[in-house]
Amino acid sequence: MISVCMATYNGEEYVAEQIQSILSQLEQNDEIIISDDGSCDNTLNIILQFEDARIKLFHNKNHGLIHNFENALKNAIGDYVFLCDQDDIWLPHKVSEMFDALQLYDLVVSDCTVVDKNLNIILESFFKQRSSGEGLLKNLYKNSYLGCCMAFRRKVLEYVLPFPRYIAMHDIWIGLMVELHGTSYFLEKPLMLYRRHGHNASPSSEKSSYSFFYQIRYRIYFIYSLFEKILK
């Protein structure tokens, strides 16, 4: 069984197109877990209009992107978990190709094509732009674990949840924890259109807006949290 975990917040412009691209790749016993962070636009109505039993909607009580994804993950029951943003488009065969790779690895990250709001191509390959690949120190220095391109086995949830309180982003935490406890694989094939439209929740394909001191601080906190988790 596959659980697709999506976090939504005021995503009325793109969420229907994203859900359609996912549903066409799922079996009847799979699920899309959607955690909504208090949308005040038409997002919830759009989701409910699908009237598909595979879509399960939950409301996030602890507002914020990281908690929103954590809420989705806590409600997922699948053997394999896919992370998903509200504004991208999954290309055909994304699920099947990543599922095949998950038979060999605990976590798989696919490449993606970066596009603008009208789906015009900005970058053919996120991997090439980011020099993506495995490695604890490599990804602590420059993260290439892009959440919306990630899928992992359920056992990963046993050691990544709950998320530490002050981590910079959930996907970095998941990737680094798998580096310590499991096996990861970067699938060098774009399986998704990664839409950047100026209002995204995360700035993964742009230059970071955080200060140098903040970036140093969050890396120190990551290291502290990793060692704390190991000791526990």
Side-chain angles (χ1 to χ4, degrees):
M1 181 181 180
I2 290 172
S3 293
V4 178
C5 290
M6 177 189 293
T8 60
Y9 176 70
N10 289 349
E12 63 179 5
E13 190 171 359
Y14 307 112
V15 68
E17 193 173 15
Q18 171 68 308
I19 292 175
Q20 288 170 349
S21 74
I22 298 168
L23 284 174
S24 62
Q25 302 185 48
L26 299 183
E27 302 293 338
Q28 286 304 310
N29 64 327
D30 296 331
E31 62 180 10
I32 300 179
I33 300 295
I34 299 177
S35 178
D36 186 78
D37 205 23
S39 292
C40 53
D41 64 356
N42 203 38
T43 298
L44 296 179
N45 289 331
I46 292 172
I47 294 169
L48 294 173
Q49 285 174 7
F50 276 90
E51 296 184 343
D52 192 307
R54 292 172 293 180
I55 299 174
K56 302 172 184 178
L57 180 62
F58 298 88
H59 298 280
N60 182 36
K61 297 179 181 179
N62 298 308
H63 295 299
L65 176 65
I66 296 173
H67 287 295
N68 206 18
F69 268 109
E70 184 173 32
N71 187 47
L73 291 171
K74 287 180 176 179
N75 285 287
I77 62 174
D79 305 300
Y80 301 92
V81 178
F82 286 67
L83 297 184
C84 176
D85 288 349
Q86 65 184 1
D87 40 18
D88 303 322
I89 296 178
W90 285 17
L91 298 176
H93 311 300
K94 171 183 166 75
V95 171
S96 60
E97 294 198 33
M98 294 189 73
F99 179 83
D100 289 344
L102 284 168
Q103 306 314 300
L104 301 173
Y105 301 94
D106 295 320
L107 182 149
V108 177
V109 189
S110 78
D111 199 355
C112 63
T113 297
V114 184
V115 298
D116 65 15
K117 64 179 183 180
N118 298 314
L119 304 184
N120 298 308
I121 295 176
I122 300 173
L123 289 170
E124 291 282 357
S125 169
F126 178 85
F127 278 11
K128 290 181 180 179
Q129 185 259 358
R130 195 73 177 178
S131 299
S132 300
E134 301 91 348
L136 179 64
L137 294 179
K138 170 185 173 64
N139 284 284
L140 190 59
Y141 171 71
K142 185 177 181 181
N143 177 59
S144 53
Y145 281 99
L146 183 58
C148 58
C149 293
M150 289 167 50
F152 46 86
R153 297 178 182 178
R154 181 169 188 82
K155 69 177 184 179
V156 169
L157 295 177
E158 297 174 6
Y159 54 81
V160 302
L161 293 179
F163 292 147
R165 186 176 180 182
Y166 296 112
I167 56 173
M169 198 57 67
H170 60 286
D171 48 6
I172 307 175
W173 173 253
I174 294 172
L176 294 178
M177 287 296 287
V178 174
E179 290 281 358
L180 286 173
H181 295 282
T183 56
S184 59
Y185 175 67
F186 282 73
L187 178 60
E188 295 185 0
K189 181 177 180 180
L191 295 176
M192 192 188 77
L193 300 181
Y194 182 41
R195 194 184 328 236
R196 311 307 291 168
H197 47 77
H199 301 287
N200 302 81
S202 60
S204 299
S205 67
E206 297 92 19
K207 184 178 180 180
S208 175
S209 61
Y210 296 123
S211 70
F212 172 77
F213 293 105
Y214 175 83
Q215 294 182 53
I216 294 296
R217 187 175 66 183
Y218 98 66
R219 284 172 171 82
I220 292 173
Y221 182 74
F222 263 120
I223 294 171
Y224 169 80
S225 298
L226 288 169
F227 277 107
E228 184 181 43
K229 196 79 170 182
I230 291 170
L231 291 175
K232 287 183 178 179

